[in-house]
Amino acid sequence: MFARLKKILTEADINTVADIEAALSEYDLAALETSLATAQQRRSDLLLTGNDAEILAAEDEATRARLALDRAHAAVAELNRRLEEARAEERKAAISAEYAATSTKVEVAVERINSEYPALAAKILELCILADAADDATTSWSKRCFAGEAEGLPIVDTVTERLELHNRWMVNGLTFSNATRLLPVGKFEGHSIDFESIALYHARHG
């Protein structure tokens, strides 16, 4: 028991929470207190019935029991102190690891967005322009149909109708293009951004 305490106190590589808790579990203070009480009672009994050798032996046993208990109390106190330090270090290490992991995730996301988003957004903007041109064509064709100039051909659905977007949201004038928001990043200037800017907010509200 005490050999392990010496090892705990001198070898830094086993000063983890788990190691210290394992060492603490080896100390049974109640059992040591019982041993001391038993030894002291035996000495008291022998004062009336035993000879000098028996009394001295009992006294020696009581001394050893008291020393074992005192050392155990000292060991438990020291181990508890070490345990609090180890827990604080592990909490600090866990927080540092979380901070590092969070920073890494942000760096990876920002790097990929900066490197990949502008080209991808430009492709989506091409689709928005294509959709607008198609919708303009359907508007012209619808006018021709209403004017009776379509030679009996039917009205052509808009891009929004073909994609069935109008069946999902109650928005007047919804088109693929005006429903798409593309944030400005890098050299891409953005598309349909109608959020209030910070500069405009401060200009309005001070």
Side-chain angles (χ1 to χ4, degrees):
M1 180 185 300
F2 297 110
R4 177 163 177 76
L5 173 62
K6 184 177 180 181
K7 187 177 182 181
I8 286 285
L9 298 181
T10 57
E11 297 188 18
D13 61 338
I14 61 171
N15 275 350
T16 66
V17 169
D19 286 328
I20 297 172
E21 287 178 340
L24 279 168
S25 69
E26 298 177 11
Y27 290 91
D28 189 345
L29 296 179
L32 292 171
E33 288 171 352
T34 298
S35 295
L36 175 58
T38 300
Q40 289 174 332
Q41 184 61 50
R42 175 170 171 75
R43 178 187 177 282
S44 296
D45 293 342
L46 286 173
L47 288 174
L48 297 176
T49 61
N51 55 41
D52 288 352
E54 290 174 330
I55 294 172
L56 289 172
E59 191 169 280
D60 185 55
E61 183 181 349
T63 298
R64 287 196 300 269
R66 185 178 62 253
L67 179 60
L69 180 60
D70 289 346
R71 292 180 69 182
H73 276 297
V76 168
E78 176 61 17
L79 287 171
N80 279 324
R81 186 187 70 79
R82 294 287 184 98
L83 182 60
E84 287 305 309
E85 289 181 351
R87 283 174 174 165
E89 287 298 319
E90 291 192 7
R91 283 193 297 269
K92 182 178 179 180
I95 291 172
S96 295
E98 181 181 351
Y99 169 79
T102 301
S103 297
T104 298
K105 287 179 180 179
V106 172
E107 290 299 326
V108 169
V110 170
E111 182 178 353
R112 287 198 60 186
I113 290 171
N114 279 329
S115 64
E116 300 176 28
Y117 174 83
L120 295 173
K123 288 292 185 181
I124 295 174
L125 180 56
E126 289 180 11
L127 297 179
C128 291
I129 295 171
L130 186 65
D132 277 344
D135 285 339
D136 288 344
T138 61
T139 298
S140 296
W141 176 254
S142 294
K143 290 179 180 179
R144 182 178 293 280
C145 290
F146 294 143
E149 301 172 354
E151 300 294 336
L153 294 173
I155 290 176
V156 177
D157 288 340
T158 64
V159 172
T160 299
E161 291 167 335
R162 289 289 297 276
L163 294 175
E164 298 186 353
L165 301 180
H166 64 301
N167 291 329
R168 301 181 65 182
W169 293 283
M170 292 296 295
V171 179
N172 290 328
L174 177 68
T175 69
F176 180 84
S177 179
N178 67 27
T180 301
R181 302 290 185 273
L182 297 171
L183 294 171
V185 174
K187 294 182 179 181
F188 183 75
E189 297 181 355
H191 170 72
S192 293
I193 300 301
D194 51 10
F195 312 134
E196 186 175 48
S197 70
I198 293 176
L200 181 58
Y201 176 86
H202 286 306
R204 289 177 174 176
H205 305 286

